[in-house]
Amino acid sequence: MAPSSQHKPNDPPASGARSASDPLDVEAILSGDRRAFEHLVRKESPRLFRVIVRIIRDDDEAQSIMQETFLQAYQRLDTFRGDAKLTTWIYAIGINQARAALRKKRRTNPMEEADMERLQPSFNKGMYAEPPKEWDPQKMAERSERQRLVREAVDQLPENYRTVVILRDLEELSTAEAADILGISEGATRVRLHRARKALRSILASHFEDRAT
Amino acid sequence: MSLFTDIRRLFMLSCEDVNDFIVEYLDGTLDDRTRRRFEKHIANCPACSTYLDQYRETVTLVKEEADADVPEPPEELVDATLDFLRQHYDDAAKNGAS
Ligand SMILES: [Zn+2]
């Protein structure tokens, strides 16, 4: 970096000195300005990495998917249409690559649509066919055991359901942002999230129900 | 009596309706009238009230597990990514793709 003595007083700070909290210059990024793009990379890397690693559950693979994502995004900037935020568009690229990679390497057999259906509550004339049983606080008390059950339950979900849970419930994105990333409508996003949460509730209920009642 | 029941039913949500509305209720996107009917049903229906509690608890537990298990980005993540990009920015041009 240039020694500060060469700085004229009115110079803007050098790009390298930008802090992660500085706003993105979307216009400069779209014009292909590498410094502006690299500012976005610095700013978004930790969060994008976290989302991808949650999907793929492998640090090394997540890092390489993230790098490819930024490269693809940079090379395809001219296809960005501006109907979503630039960052949302980049997340969509990364998340879709992570999903494709996951489908290829899936270690355990995820549930199928029929299993998801079986885990939905059923109704008879608008009433619960089996009213929910209370959960036993004692069965929920052991923290590490509880977390293990939850992690296993989330991991069992089919990939498209798991991804919506990661985006909405873990990353706390809005329905609109999640819908943009998944390329489906907001209504379809809500339906998928709801089915995923209902299935998770059923799986947890099988562990937590107070059998005495 | 049966007329009364029919009229009541027009104004009341079934447990199944209430279940369908949970996600929008928690998102705060139900219209006022439906939200009031939803809350009225929950207040009077132990099954729906228990279900809603457990649904909320499920979301809380999923967040709790994820928070306990936040993946730490590797320290060199940003630098490695920038190095990678600087090596590959021009790949597409070399391949004649653009
Ligand atoms: Zn009910």
Side-chain angles (χ1 to χ4, degrees), chain A residues 63-82:
Chain A
Q63 183 163 344
S64 92
I65 289 172
M66 191 189 76
Q67 291 175 350
E68 282 295 338
T69 297
F70 281 124
L71 182 62
Q72 268 200 29
Y74 183 81
Q75 291 171 339
R76 286 163 43 190
L77 279 172
D78 56 339
T79 67
F80 173 67
R81 295 195 314 273

Side-chain angles (χ1 to χ4, degrees), chain A residues 34 37-38 41-42 45 49-50 53-54 57 63 66-68 70-71 74-75 121 123 126-128 132-135 140 146-147 150-151 165 168-170 172 175 190 193-194 197-198 200-201 204 208, chain B residues 14-16 19-20 22-24 26-27 29 47-48 50-51 54-55 57-59 61-74 76-78 80-82 84-86 88-92:
Chain A
R34 288 183 186 176
F37 185 75
E38 291 184 359
V41 171
R42 288 177 207 281
S45 282
F49 174 81
R50 196 181 60 207
V53 85
R54 275 180 169 155
R57 298 248 197 227
Q63 183 163 344
M66 191 189 76
Q67 291 175 350
E68 282 295 338
F70 281 124
L71 182 62
Y74 183 81
Q75 291 171 339
F123 295 89
M127 314 246 293
Y128 281 94
K133 295 192 184 73
E134 295 289 339
W135 289 358
M140 302 173 66
R146 188 175 70 223
Q147 289 181 350
V150 173
R151 188 178 320 130
V165 169
R168 283 289 325 269
D169 288 340
L170 306 191
E172 303 188 334
T175 303
R190 277 209 189 87
L193 177 68
H194 194 33
R197 287 166 167 180
K198 285 187 288 186
L200 290 172
R201 193 213 66 92
L204 296 183
F208 293 154
Chain B
S14 70
C15 297
E16 189 168 9
N19 190 283
D20 285 343
I22 290 176
V23 70
E24 287 192 77
L26 296 181
D27 276 355
T29 52
C48 285
T50 301
Y51 194 94
Q54 293 177 351
Y55 184 102
E57 182 71 26
T58 299
V59 176
L61 289 174
V62 168
K63 281 193 219 289
E64 174 199 76
E65 193 282 315
D67 287 346
D69 194 22
V70 186
E72 269 306 311
E76 75 293 351
L77 181 73
V78 171
T81 303
L82 292 177
F84 172 86
L85 289 171
R86 286 166 189 162
H88 295 281
Y89 273 135
D90 297 320
D91 284 4

